Amino acid sequence: MSSVAGSFKLMKSLNRTLVLNSIRINGAIPRSEIAKETKLTAATVTNIVNELISEELVLETKPGISSGGRKPILLTINSKSRYVFGIDVGVNKIRFAIADLEAKIVVKETEKIFHPLNNEDFLELLTSKLQIMFKNFGEKKSKIVGIGIAMHGIVDNKNGVALLAPTLKLKNIPIKTVLEKEFGIPVRIENDAKTLALGEEWYGHGQSVKDLVCLNIGEGIGAGIILNHKLFHGNDNSAGEIGHTIIDINGPKCSCGNYGCFQSLASGHALKESALREISLGRTTLLREKCHDKLENIDGLLIYQCALKGDSLSVELLQKTGRYIGIGIVNIIHFLNPPLIIIGGGVSRAKEFILPSIYEVIDAKSITPNNTQVVVSKLGEDGSLIGAFTLVLSELFNSINSSLS
Amino acid sequence: MSSVAGSFKLMKSLNRTLVLNSIRINGAIPRSEIAKETKLTAATVTNIVNELISEELVLETKPGISSGGRKPILLTINSKSRYVFGIDVGVNKIRFAIADLEAKIVVKETEKIFHPLNNEDFLELLTSKLQIMFKNFGEKKSKIVGIGIAMHGIVDNKNGVALLAPTLKLKNIPIKTVLEKEFGIPVRIENDAKTLALGEEWYGHGQSVKDLVCLNIGEGIGAGIILNHKLFHGNDNSAGEIGHTIIDINGPKCSCGNYGCFQSLASGHALKESALREISLGRTTLLREKCHDKLENIDGLLIYQCALKGDSLSVELLQKTGRYIGIGIVNIIHFLNPPLIIIGGGVSRAKEFILPSIYEVIDAKSITPNNTQVVVSKLGEDGSLIGAFTLVLSELFNSINSSLS
DNA sequence: GATACTTAATTAAATAAATTAATTAAGTTC
DNA sequence: GAACTTAATTAATTTATTTAATTAAGTATC
């Protein structure tokens, strides 16, 4: 059975979580309101709030407005009482940042990755940069309670191992073990699409739903699936490998060897391939000029920029991509029927071109009277980074099972 | 937030559930073992077991074997202390059954459906048959604690309304309201693919996993998705409409209007269509003889029977269907990566022909080192019916939030 | 502007149900 | 048959909630 044993500890932990998140989500709220919202008694709320205040997680701020009786005392999260580290490992660079309890970035730096590198190089790169940033954070460094890492590829989040990172050409990097030994605070690692989804759930468009699918469409296509407020990992940590679901049995060959994968038709990579094909057929386009006749320089960003300038091929290509993305989304709707699907990653920059095509396909092809909302990522560029903070913050705020203080 | 408030009631309820299910799953177990398994203290187990015994849910049976001390007293579920009603609404018939707490059928009857019928006819059919069976159950009828109903189409399980039942050509049937008023016990309704999945989770192949996808492949294809031991409904109760996910953009037209839907290629209906096409092209086959030249009589069952007799076209058709099912399963693996996928419904009868093709496609096309198990339904014919019992039994055994006694 | 009412928050007493520790029950082993 | 084991129960303690009463700090009204 899945059920957990009831105990005083669990009871306390559940209620503490309720109170803490009531304060976090409402911004500034008096004890009486918390009691109403959580359905806890006023006495319980008082007790728990006292604890949270003594832990410095919560602050009494100004008094509120009386509604005919004693003034309420507004409570807020003490957002500078603790900090979290977030790391976003990309293809060519790694972004390091420190954020407060509201996931607001207070320090942010970037390191380039020089290929090729092995596991030791990679871990050394992380460790040394972290050491410097820890040091520079001065006496506040003791307030850093955890390190969250967003990483492409397949990640074993339980053991904190990057199982397969294709673009870095690395395997089985024991990140958690190494960094926890070095820094003595909890380290959490997660696949980047999953991290993005988590970021959107906590600080982006997903705050009012309990289930969502977040697409990360860049060179490839990955998805983060959140079910009942929790990331879904699947049996082998490879849930969300939606880029390799087949939508056209007789379609083009994908890098994985199969034919007609979603990402062989709808990704940034597919976009570039389509552009090159059209150009090789002699089609006139602004792209040719803008890439200075170096066709390998063409990428999604350039196509978007040319589309903005009215280049008809670029516009067409983006629209076609939008239609393919629409097919993939229709499949998600028919399979999981989530209340919300979020489109993130590089292509979401070109939303004015792709979104109409996406909506068109969804309207035409979804068979059920579906109310799934489809939107573009709210967090944008910083999505994975904010998600990385959230890996730690979500444990801090949902104290159950947490090893954080 | 999703979290629930902690309370004494919750604590008690959680532990009661743990103990009850420990007994249910283990068959015969002493208190000491329950304590070990659930990590509850012996004292708590004693208290809860006493309660369960006084409610007649649990029985002390024979003493167990001593391992060097006092003999343990074995506890079992008192399976005849309560009964549940299960109803499986098919296209042409409705199956009614009563089962004990082990989901063992003790009474089973079938009623034919005469088309066309309206909502009132349908409800009257259910009500009158239930009344008779209640009466015939004698004094034991007061032990029936709930009615579970498996129904094709889209079902609003919360409100107990069959929103859309295409084969009956009915809409918005308020089954729960009507039957609860008539019989005064809880009524639960669920889509048949979801019900099948629930049955497999509790009494079939899904007992050791917490997530699974169960395909119901008949004339169409539906899926029941179980995540963290719970049925997943999606936003509009249409999660699992996997038959209409697109796997071949340029494929044949589906009944829904789209092209290349999974079920336009892999269902019983698709199988028949393929057979007719081949026959119209003049292909010799045993099918022609066996249907007595009435081609409309050809169906999945006949094709299977001919395949058994060595008819090469029938074998080929089943293998092709298996390959298409394989594609759909690969998509499920790449999207959700569940530990288990169960194949149920009519075509699973022909497992010796389709299963090898399915495995072949999965091996060839799944990109991740996946450990998803793919098996054929354990419950077979009675799957949906057993699932219908489970709608009620699962609430009884997981007392949290239950309105059952 | 004194009295009555409201609302917020805390404190004190009562209660639920788990945990811990001690006891009883019923063996086995040498 | 004395010493040890294991199972199950009972009694005492503890945790944390709930209920009820109290204190705090207002507003409204005549």
Side-chain angles (χ1 to χ4, degrees), chain A residues 179-368:
Chain A
L179 294 187
E180 284 190 344
K181 193 175 171 195
E182 179 68 33
F183 297 99
I185 54 176
V187 173
R188 300 290 178 263
I189 309 165
E190 194 57 88
N191 160 274
D192 57 356
K194 292 192 176 75
T195 316
L196 182 63
L198 197 66
E200 287 287 336
E201 155 87 354
W202 277 64
Y203 299 103
H205 279 129
Q207 294 178 59
S208 59
V209 298
K210 66 190 215 342
D211 311 302
L212 67 85
V213 174
C214 180
L215 293 172
N216 189 12
I217 309 182
E219 286 309 289
I221 304 181
I225 303 169
I226 289 184
L227 301 169
N228 202 22
H229 297 287
K230 285 204 296 266
L231 275 175
F232 185 79
H233 290 90
N235 193 49
D236 310 286
N237 291 299
S238 56
E241 282 295 333
I242 195 174
H244 297 288
T245 57
I246 294 165
I247 64 173
D248 183 6
I249 293 180
N250 303 303
K253 189 164 185 176
C254 176
S255 61
C256 73
N258 291 333
Y259 294 86
C261 291
F262 184 29
Q263 77 175 40
S264 72
L265 295 160
S267 67
H269 181 75
L271 192 57
K272 178 178 181 174
E273 293 289 307
S274 290
L276 296 180
R277 204 175 317 119
E278 289 294 328
I279 290 171
S280 75
L281 291 172
R283 174 129 178 209
T284 52
T285 165
L286 190 61
L287 282 169
R288 185 168 247 155
E289 180 185 321
K290 289 286 175 184
C291 73
H292 308 100
D293 277 326
K294 281 184 188 153
L295 295 181
E296 66 272 21
N297 281 346
I298 293 177
D299 64 1
L301 184 58
L302 192 69
I303 294 171
Y304 173 53
Q305 287 165 340
C306 289
L308 280 177
K309 290 190 173 142
D311 179 57
S312 67
L313 175 62
S314 297
V315 173
E316 270 173 40
L317 289 171
L318 288 170
Q319 287 172 338
K320 191 172 83 173
T321 298
R323 286 195 297 275
Y324 279 120
I325 294 174
I327 299 273
I329 290 177
V330 166
N331 280 358
I332 297 172
I333 292 173
H334 287 163
F335 187 34
L336 270 191
N337 183 225
L340 179 65
I341 295 174
I342 298 172
I343 301 167
V347 301
S348 58
R349 264 192 305 245
K351 54 172 177 276
E352 62 266 55
F353 296 104
I354 59 167
L355 225 37
S357 308
I358 290 174
Y359 291 146
E360 190 187 294
V361 170
I362 295 172
D363 285 345
K365 293 193 185 287
S366 72
I367 57 157
T368 54

Side-chain angles (χ1 to χ4, degrees), chain B residues 126-144:
Chain B
L126 289 185
T127 309
S128 58
K129 184 69 184 178
L130 276 166
Q131 275 165 342
I132 294 169
M133 289 181 73
F134 259 91
K135 198 176 165 195
N136 292 342
F137 208 50
E139 83 272 28
K140 284 186 292 181
K141 71 175 170 235
S142 65
K143 292 184 172 182
I144 297 175

Side-chain angles (χ1 to χ4, degrees), chain B residues 25-245:
Chain B
I25 290 166
N26 286 285
I29 187 173
R31 290 168 177 80
S32 54
E33 268 300 307
I34 297 174
K36 265 184 216 154
E37 204 185 82
T38 60
K39 287 175 183 164
L40 296 173
T41 59
T44 298
V45 172
T46 288
N47 287 332
I48 292 174
V49 166
N50 283 345
E51 239 182 73
L52 294 172
I53 288 174
S54 80
E55 291 174 34
E56 300 188 303
L57 271 170
V58 164
L59 280 179
E60 286 189 339
T61 48
K62 55 182 182 184
I65 301 154
S66 163
S67 59
R70 177 176 173 176
K71 268 185 193 164
I73 305 163
L74 297 180
L75 300 167
T76 57
I77 296 295
N78 185 1
S79 62
K80 304 294 181 191
S81 67
R82 284 155 177 84
Y83 294 89
V84 293
F85 230 112
I87 302 177
D88 178 19
V89 180
V91 181
N92 296 311
K93 60 180 183 184
I94 306 179
R95 295 189 298 164
F96 297 80
I98 302 175
D100 66 15
L101 291 186
E102 286 175 310
K104 290 231 171 72
I105 294 173
V106 292
V107 182
K108 184 169 159 186
E109 296 183 18
T110 302
E111 285 287 306
K112 275 204 164 179
I113 300 174
F114 295 99
H115 298 270
L117 78 180
N118 60 29
N119 283 6
E120 284 66 42
D121 299 338
F122 177 72
L123 287 167
E124 167 59 23
L125 181 58
L126 289 185
T127 309
S128 58
K129 184 69 184 178
L130 276 166
Q131 275 165 342
I132 294 169
M133 289 181 73
F134 259 91
K135 198 176 165 195
N136 292 342
F137 208 50
E139 83 272 28
K140 284 186 292 181
K141 71 175 170 235
S142 65
K143 292 184 172 182
I144 297 175
V145 295
I147 302 171
I149 304 176
M151 175 99 203
H152 71 279
I154 297 177
V155 174
D156 172 355
N157 72 305
K158 280 204 183 113
N159 300 308
V161 179
L163 295 176
L164 191 69
T167 66
L168 293 176
K169 289 179 183 131
L170 296 180
K171 269 192 213 175
N172 300 319
I173 325 172
I175 303 182
K176 181 186 164 89
T177 315
V178 170
L179 295 187
E180 284 190 345
K181 193 176 170 194
E182 180 67 34
F183 297 100
I185 55 176
V187 173
R188 300 290 178 264
I189 309 165
E190 194 57 88
N191 160 274
D192 56 355
K194 292 191 177 76
T195 315
L196 183 63
L198 197 66
E200 287 286 338
E201 155 86 354
W202 277 65
Y203 299 104
H205 279 129
Q207 294 178 59
S208 58
V209 298
K210 67 190 213 346
D211 312 301
L212 67 85
V213 174
C214 179
L215 294 171
N216 190 11
I217 309 182
E219 286 307 291
I221 305 181
I225 303 169
I226 289 183
L227 301 169
N228 202 23
H229 297 287
K230 285 203 296 268
L231 274 174
F232 186 78
H233 290 92
N235 193 48
D236 310 286
N237 291 299
S238 56
E241 281 295 332
I242 194 173
H244 297 288
T245 57

